[in-house]
Amino acid sequence: MSEPRVSAEPLRTDRLDLLPLRVEHAEEMAAALADPALHRFIGGEPLSPDALRARYERLVAGSGDPAVSWCNWVLRLRAGACLVGTVQATITADGIGEIAWVIGTPWQRRGLASEAARGLVAWLEQGPVHTVVAHVHPAHPASATVAAAAGLAPTEEWQDGEVRWRRQRLPR
């Protein structure tokens, strides 16, 4: 028997509101993530508002697998009242949460990704997640910094050319 699905809920960090993803976020997020350089390590290219809306429709609908929850947030910088990036977690019934993050180029180098990732990991560990993982390209030191700030450590495992980082919660 699998655990019930987990749903994204609003979260708050020092400077950010993590808002559960809605299709209506697509237009503002398309502008925030428009820099092609963001795709250097993850592949692809910036999506148009319409393409991002279609992607968000799929994400909001959720995983077709009842043992997998997709939790996605947009990051609203309270000081600027604007969306600056996203964080996401794919949570499996066996207690593993795989996380990822992206911050638009104009807001990078401010610690926002680290702040959001720390908030996300804290939230995940309050629920059924006992192991948090992320995949970081070895040539992307900024992403490694975010993973480390969230309490993850690199492992010897690789997936699709990226290093698997892991954090395991101590038993309660």
Side-chain angles (χ1 to χ4, degrees):
M1 183 156 85
S2 64
E3 292 286 323
R5 284 193 187 238
V6 178
S7 297
E9 57 188 54
L11 305 174
R12 187 176 174 95
T13 66
D14 289 342
R15 299 174 290 169
L16 298 167
D17 292 320
L18 283 67
L19 306 172
L21 179 70
R22 295 189 340 248
V23 174
E24 294 79 23
H25 292 131
E27 189 164 338
E28 188 175 353
M29 286 306 305
L33 304 178
D35 185 353
L38 287 175
H39 298 268
R40 178 175 172 211
F41 296 105
I42 60 174
E45 59 189 12
L47 296 177
S48 70
D50 287 341
L52 197 55
R53 189 173 300 105
R55 176 174 165 73
Y56 286 0
E57 286 171 355
R58 289 188 303 275
L59 291 174
V60 168
S63 168
D65 182 342
V68 176
S69 298
W70 291 346
C71 296
N72 295 274
W73 293 262
V74 293
L75 308 176
R76 180 170 299 284
L77 180 62
R78 284 192 298 278
C82 60
L83 299 182
V84 300
T86 65
V87 291
Q88 63 188 49
T90 299
I91 304 165
T92 58
D94 59 356
I96 298 172
E98 184 170 334
I99 65 171
W101 51 84
V102 63
I103 298 289
T105 304
W107 302 279
Q108 291 180 359
R109 298 184 184 1
R110 299 182 193 184
L112 296 173
S114 293
E115 182 177 323
R118 282 191 305 269
L120 175 56
V121 168
W123 179 79
L124 288 170
E125 290 184 341
Q126 290 174 6
V129 173
H130 58 76
T131 303
V132 178
V133 298
H135 294 92
V136 175
H137 193 284
H140 197 328
S143 203
T145 298
V146 172
L152 283 74
T155 69
E156 297 295 318
E157 300 170 52
W158 288 72
Q159 181 177 329
D160 298 327
E162 296 181 321
V163 177
R164 184 178 177 105
W165 288 59
R166 177 183 294 122
R167 171 188 171 110
Q168 286 196 265
R169 179 178 69 199
L170 297 175
R172 295 183 197 184

